[in-house]
Amino acid sequence: MKMYRSKGNIIFDAIIYFVMIFVLLICLVPFLYMLAVSLSDPKAIINNEVSFIPIGVNVEAYKQIFAYPNFFRAYGNTIFYTLGGTSISVMMTALFAYPLSKTFLKGQKFAMKMVVFSMFFSGGLIPNYLLISNLGLTGTRFAMLLPFAINQFNLIILINFFKSIPNEIEEAALIDGLGYFGILVRIIVPLSKAALATIGLYTAVFFWNDWFNGLIYLNTDQFPVMLFLRNIVNGTSMLGDAAGSADKATIAISIKSAVIITSTLPIIILYPFLQKYFVKGLTVGSVKG
Amino acid sequence: MKKCVSLLLVISMVVVLLSACAKKEPVKVDNKDGENVTNVDNGTDGEKEDPVKIRIYYSDNATLPFKDDWLTVTEAEKMFNVDFEFEVIPIADYATKVSLALNTGNNTPDVILYQTTKGENASLALNGALVPISDYADFTPHFNARVEAFGLTETVDKLKLADDKRYYLPSLFDIPFYDGGLILREDFLDAEGLEAPKTFDDLYKILKAYKEKNPDSYPLTILAGPRVLYRMTMPSYGVSVGKNGASGTNTLSWDYDKKEYFAGAISEGYKGYISYLAKLYAEGLLDPEMADPINGDAWSQKMATGKAMATYAYYDQIGGLTGASDIEGFKLQMYPSLEGPAGAHHQPKSRTGSGIMFPAATAKRDDFERVVRTIDNVFFSEEGARLWCLGVEGVTYTEENGKITYSDELVNAKEGVYKSLQVNHGCGSDVTQLVWINEREMTKYDENYSRINAEVAAMGNVIQEIPPTPLFDDMTAEDAGVLQTPLFDTFEVWADAFITGRKDVEADWDAYVKEMKTLRIDEFNKLYNDNLGK
């Protein structure tokens, strides 16, 4: 197809490109700067010579953070929580969403209302803590995995997606002798890969970024890497109100940058490959079949 | 029927929710003062027993990351027959974790380090979440002896709460350190033939001279935030107000002669101080970015590139800068406090600091006495104090005729003895070192630092005591809070306006005083004075 390119069209395209490149730079520049700083010589940083290209390349900052006693353990913990938590969450959400997608089921409407109710009103920090604690989960890794198994927002997305699958398929399976569990596992789940991938990604990002639940429920050797990152990037500046020695503690920007790069890199690398699901996720479940 | 079931479910849900919120009965701690006291000395009795297990909260600072194989930790476990289980919590979230543990009484450790009974902890203590450790004075002989030796009996007594009980073992200082202050480029003074500054006028002349040579510079900058500058300089003008003013009132100051509070924010001392800053600002001698906190990197850049030549910061921070600057002959030096109208004073400091708390649950342990005695041994006995300060004799240092010599590894360390001892061995951490002896500390620093400290000590009362905190009950505390907030907000707005020249100190001073009086600063002051020593 031959496109007609008038002068106006070309100018319009140029403006679009210009705006898009500008937006891209806004996202990219801080990241590139951090990368350059993390790889630069401290002397060059102090003398304000670093822009986007590392000056006097050295990996000292990375060596230092790898020497932090808990860095790798915390990193491993985060990977575990992300993988484990996401698997549990996807499985539990699917198991709950499927019956809730059946409007003929007794009590379905009531259960739906309860889900929505708990989405808007929660117990609050202390009651939640007491609940987790009385269940004997504090200080165990399950405290990170189980309480967040079902997110109401993801659940509603999935319920609507399940509703959009034609009933005829299920009826055929019923006639062929499959039970409802079999239908879920063999028919519904394979048909819902896009939806499951979407909520899986939402959940994975949640688990990757979460630090607060780790802080309150877990013990030191179970802390996720984000808590570690927060301590390095923010820890000393948060001390502002404490008089005296706290002001002495400063951490080199190269180390802060190196930590940020190291702990965000996996998600950044993963994102371009999975972002199509995110885009899909915005519309998944929004239209009923 | 359907409606009935729904109603039942809703009711049961509400009941479950409410029961989760139900208040836990405060744990009562029996007063065992004087009972069953056996004379356990330095843990020697414990050697035949199994090590006592103590779970302990540790506030972790990213500049000094905790290692459980630190020489201090492993050695303390061996020396005092104890098995520590450290819960290492990032300092930024330490208060949250402690608050949660104490509020819920769940999953609490046996011991919490690096805490005081200010703020929330005070009401938690009064509600029974903490052990009133002053009731168990017999279990803490080393602490008691140390308090007496340092002459801190009265100071430590003042840490008692409204019920006349003390709920923590504070860290103890024999003499406060002069660890930060005016730092400026000695090479510039030498090149220009200028004398070391003694007064604020001297400082003004130096800054002025630098500005003339470097018109695009702002010679005086600060690290962290304006509060550091205020804290370290205001006392020379007889006041200590603003955020982190020593009194914690933000607008009142302490009269050391009359031993009472006065309205510092509207005093002549403050007027003189703010006029001085306004003059520096108007002539481009004060960093205009100082209104916001300046982070360590930006500060280093300003100093190393010559955009600034003087600063208020801490001695520890000079080292990294000196080697990093491209300026030839670049040399920073710290100077004793400058003299102002009220003499030469540094920020007031307390001779007690954050210390050790015992959650109420610890008192329920059968071996509670042993736990307290062990903690007392580990942190306050002479062996313990030396361990957390110097490390292990023969490994990190040797001592001959009272002279301490550090190991070659430490002496030759790039980051210096102090930092190297901290990072590699865990000595000198604010969290675990609870006994601070000035003379012993000075052995870790270079001669220059010791010389400055000696100079400051010779000047007399440079570092004053922190003013006493009035003992408000909940209602009075609320009243004080209501008065304090608008006063402080107004103070801040005017302080900025005065410094930046939007308001003229001479012309607008009366309007400012009038506004502060309308906001009842005198009543606020009276509230403080009336509740002193209650």
Side-chain angles (χ1 to χ4, degrees):
Chain A
M1 194 175 80
K2 197 178 176 186
M3 272 189 47
Y4 173 69
R5 297 184 67 80
S6 72
K7 207 174 173 186
N9 263 353
I10 292 169
I11 291 172
F12 186 67
D13 280 357
I15 292 172
I16 288 178
Y17 275 113
F18 179 76
V19 171
M20 292 315 290
I21 288 170
F22 183 69
V23 172
L24 180 80
L25 284 178
I26 287 176
C27 302
L28 210 59
V29 163
F31 198 76
L32 284 180
Y33 176 69
M34 269 192 309
L35 194 65
V37 164
S38 72
L39 290 168
S40 292
D41 184 34
K43 202 171 166 179
I45 301 170
I46 283 184
N47 288 303
N48 211 4
E49 291 161 4
V50 182
S51 51
F52 300 112
I53 297 160
I55 309 276
V57 179
N58 82 20
V59 289
E60 202 51 43
Y62 289 91
K63 273 190 195 162
Q64 272 199 47
I65 59 164
F66 292 152
Y68 269 103
N70 294 319
F71 183 75
F72 283 110
R73 189 165 59 190
Y75 214 104
N77 286 339
T78 292
I79 293 172
F80 172 75
Y81 298 135
T82 306
L83 293 179
T86 308
S87 317
I88 291 175
S89 174
V90 169
M91 199 169 74
M92 298 300 282
T93 310
L95 278 175
F96 195 20
Y98 184 56
L100 285 186
S101 68
K102 302 291 165 225
T103 42
F104 59 82
L105 210 66
K106 265 192 178 173
Q108 183 266 353
K109 272 192 179 160
F110 178 72
M112 237 1 247
K113 278 178 189 150
M114 289 289 103
V115 167
V116 175
F117 180 82
S118 64
M119 191 158 103
F120 293 112
F121 304 97
S122 73
L125 179 64
I126 301 278
N128 264 334
Y129 181 84
L130 288 174
L131 174 68
I132 306 286
S133 174
N134 290 338
L135 288 171
L137 295 178
T138 34
T140 72
R141 290 173 202 275
F142 288 110
M144 274 299 263
L145 304 176
L146 297 184
F148 312 100
I150 296 177
N151 172 288
Q152 297 93 331
F153 179 75
N154 292 342
L155 182 74
I156 291 169
I157 288 181
L158 207 57
I159 290 171
N160 285 330
F161 189 84
F162 285 168
K163 276 184 184 169
S164 69
I165 296 173
N167 272 336
E168 290 75 7
I169 298 177
E170 286 185 56
E171 281 163 10
L174 278 171
I175 291 167
D176 287 343
L178 258 185
Y180 276 105
F181 190 72
I183 293 174
L184 173 67
V185 175
R186 296 193 191 184
I187 295 172
I188 302 295
V189 168
L191 284 175
S192 314
K193 272 183 197 154
L196 291 174
T198 305
I199 65 161
L201 264 179
Y202 282 144
T203 320
V205 171
F206 164 79
F207 278 110
W208 189 269
N209 289 332
D210 184 42
W211 59 269
F212 187 70
N213 294 303
L215 168 77
I216 60 174
Y217 298 131
L218 300 179
N219 294 337
T220 314
D221 55 350
Q222 299 157 337
F223 281 165
V225 76
M226 284 301 158
L227 200 56
F228 184 87
L229 167 74
R230 190 179 134 76
N231 194 24
I232 288 185
V233 176
N234 233 353
T236 50
S237 62
M238 304 268 305
L239 293 170
D241 282 350
S245 62
D247 290 324
K248 292 185 210 170
T250 51
I251 289 191
I253 194 168
S254 56
I255 301 217
K256 288 182 187 173
S257 306
V259 173
I260 292 172
I261 297 281
T262 322
S263 53
T264 49
L265 210 58
I267 286 282
I268 287 170
I269 292 173
L270 210 64
Y271 220 83
F273 299 103
L274 299 174
Q275 59 124 349
K276 61 177 177 181
Y277 290 115
F278 266 87
V279 179
K280 260 188 198 170
L282 297 175
T283 50
V284 158
S286 60
V287 182
K288 285 187 195 174
Chain B
M1 178 66 194
K2 202 175 152 190
K3 276 189 177 170
C4 278
V5 174
S6 309
L7 193 69
L8 207 70
L9 276 171
V10 169
I11 291 170
S12 60
M13 210 179 80
V14 171
V15 170
V16 168
L17 264 177
L18 288 180
S19 64
C21 305
K23 195 180 171 230
K24 270 212 150 183
E25 208 175 296
V27 189
K28 281 198 178 138
V29 181
D30 296 331
N31 180 352
K32 292 182 185 170
D33 199 1
E35 282 175 32
N36 301 324
V37 180
T38 49
N39 192 12
V40 183
D41 194 30
N42 297 338
T44 43
D45 270 15
E47 278 171 16
K48 290 164 203 157
E49 300 171 276
D50 286 337
V52 56
K53 278 193 169 25
I54 298 179
R55 191 163 163 253
I56 198 162
Y57 270 11
Y58 178 97
S59 166
D60 193 32
N61 186 330
T63 52
L64 178 57
F66 179 85
K67 292 177 193 154
D68 48 16
D69 61 350
W70 267 339
L71 183 67
T72 42
V73 175
T74 51
E75 199 63 24
E77 289 188 323
K78 263 191 276 171
M79 275 165 79
F80 302 104
N81 195 28
V82 52
D83 179 6
F84 281 128
E85 187 192 330
F86 277 98
E87 282 293 326
V88 184
I89 298 146
I91 193 164
D93 301 305
Y94 195 61
T96 313
K97 187 90 175 173
V98 170
S99 163
L100 211 54
L102 292 177
N103 270 300
T104 61
N106 277 354
N107 201 21
T108 46
D110 301 308
V111 170
I112 301 178
L113 295 176
Y114 209 51
Q115 285 290 296
T116 65
T117 45
K118 280 184 190 152
E120 190 193 6
N121 284 350
S123 67
L124 280 167
L126 292 173
N127 284 305
L130 292 171
V131 174
I133 198 66
S134 60
D135 285 356
Y136 299 88
D138 292 337
F139 298 175
T140 58
H142 297 295
F143 172 78
N144 306 343
R146 193 70 73 174
V147 167
E148 213 177 304
F150 285 1
L152 286 171
T153 314
E154 205 180 312
T155 315
V156 169
D157 263 353
K158 284 187 184 151
L159 300 175
K160 286 181 175 170
L161 296 182
D163 61 355
D164 209 28
K165 290 171 196 276
R166 182 172 36 79
Y167 288 83
Y168 72 109
L169 300 171
S171 53
L172 308 169
F173 296 75
D174 69 339
I175 302 169
F177 306 128
Y178 183 72
D179 52 358
L182 175 65
I183 288 168
L184 59 78
R185 290 260 303 278
E186 197 177 35
D187 58 309
F188 178 75
L189 297 192
D190 292 345
E192 298 294 309
L194 293 163
E195 290 280 311
K198 298 265 185 243
T199 66
F200 283 94
D201 286 337
D202 295 346
L203 176 64
Y204 170 75
K205 282 175 198 148
I206 292 168
L207 299 176
K208 191 89 183 155
Y210 190 81
K211 181 81 177 179
E212 273 165 20
K213 294 259 168 190
N214 305 277
D216 63 338
S217 68
Y218 290 103
L220 180 64
T221 188
I222 33 158
L223 178 59
R227 61 174 187 278
V228 173
L229 174 72
Y230 297 162
R231 271 204 309 254
M232 291 181 176
T233 52
M234 250 187 218
S236 293
Y237 283 79
V239 282
S240 179
V241 285
K243 195 177 181 187
N244 277 335
S247 61
T249 62
N250 294 332
T251 50
L252 305 180
S253 289
W254 180 251
D255 187 323
Y256 284 88
D257 296 329
K258 292 184 188 160
K259 300 214 176 302
E260 63 177 26
Y261 279 98
F262 67 97
I266 52 170
S267 66
E268 283 302 309
Y270 176 66
K271 189 180 176 186
Y273 181 76
I274 209 80
S275 307
Y276 180 74
L277 288 189
K279 183 168 79 169
L280 294 189
Y281 186 90
E283 297 182 25
L285 305 177
L286 184 64
D287 188 349
E289 284 179 19
M290 74 152 226
D292 291 322
I294 297 173
N295 68 43
D297 305 300
W299 174 80
S300 306
Q301 280 175 5
K302 284 173 198 248
M303 292 301 291
T305 52
K307 291 267 178 230
M309 64 84 66
T311 185
Y312 272 87
Y314 292 91
Y315 189 76
D316 293 356
Q317 290 153 338
I318 302 183
L321 264 176
T322 306
S325 176
D326 284 341
I327 298 170
E328 208 174 308
F330 185 93
K331 185 168 185 252
L332 289 170
Q333 179 62 279
M334 183 164 84
Y335 296 89
S337 290
L338 299 181
E339 199 180 319
H345 293 294
H346 189 51
Q347 66 187 76
K349 284 186 178 177
S350 171
R351 289 172 61 203
T352 62
S354 304
I356 300 172
M357 285 188 334
F358 297 86
T362 312
K364 288 185 173 170
R365 282 179 59 152
D366 295 336
D367 57 354
F368 173 60
E369 181 180 343
R370 192 176 162 206
V371 171
V372 178
R373 282 183 180 279
T374 306
I375 290 294
D376 179 54
N377 258 330
V378 170
F379 295 106
F380 293 101
S381 68
E382 182 54 22
E383 297 93 318
R386 287 182 88 88
L387 173 68
W388 295 109
C389 172
L390 304 169
V392 178
E393 188 160 12
V395 181
T396 52
Y397 74 100
T398 49
E399 188 171 1
E400 253 178 74
N401 304 326
K403 192 177 182 308
I404 289 161
T405 314
Y406 290 98
S407 69
D408 290 347
E409 171 220 353
L410 290 170
V411 175
N412 299 326
K414 199 175 83 182
E415 65 268 34
V417 173
Y418 170 78
K419 197 72 196 160
S420 178
L421 260 178
Q422 263 197 337
V423 177
N424 299 330
H425 303 297
C427 304
S429 157
D430 283 355
V431 185
T432 44
Q433 184 174 347
L434 284 107
V435 176
W436 296 81
I437 298 168
N438 195 307
E439 202 185 327
R440 198 182 276 170
E441 288 304 314
M442 288 308 141
T443 62
K444 296 182 189 175
Y445 291 95
D446 55 26
E447 281 172 14
N448 188 42
Y449 184 70
S450 312
R451 178 188 60 76
I452 300 163
N453 257 276
E455 219 171 289
V456 170
M459 284 163 69
N461 188 23
V462 171
I463 303 174
Q464 295 159 307
E465 274 280 314
I466 287 191
T469 312
L471 296 174
F472 290 140
D473 54 37
D474 284 355
M475 286 298 284
T476 329
E478 183 112 5
D479 289 346
V482 168
L483 287 171
Q484 176 169 351
T485 311
L487 275 171
F488 180 50
D489 289 346
T490 310
F491 167 78
E492 287 269 276
V493 171
W494 277 91
D496 276 352
F498 281 143
I499 294 175
T500 54
R502 278 185 286 117
K503 297 274 186 190
D504 182 69
V505 182
E506 286 305 325
D508 297 310
W509 180 257
D510 290 344
Y512 161 67
V513 172
K514 197 176 162 203
E515 192 170 341
M516 293 296 273
K517 290 207 167 184
T518 315
L519 292 168
R520 300 189 288 172
I521 190 165
D522 292 326
E523 201 176 312
F524 182 52
N525 189 37
K526 189 170 178 301
L527 211 57
Y528 263 71
N529 282 331
D530 287 352
N531 285 280
L532 280 175
K534 223 183 196 179

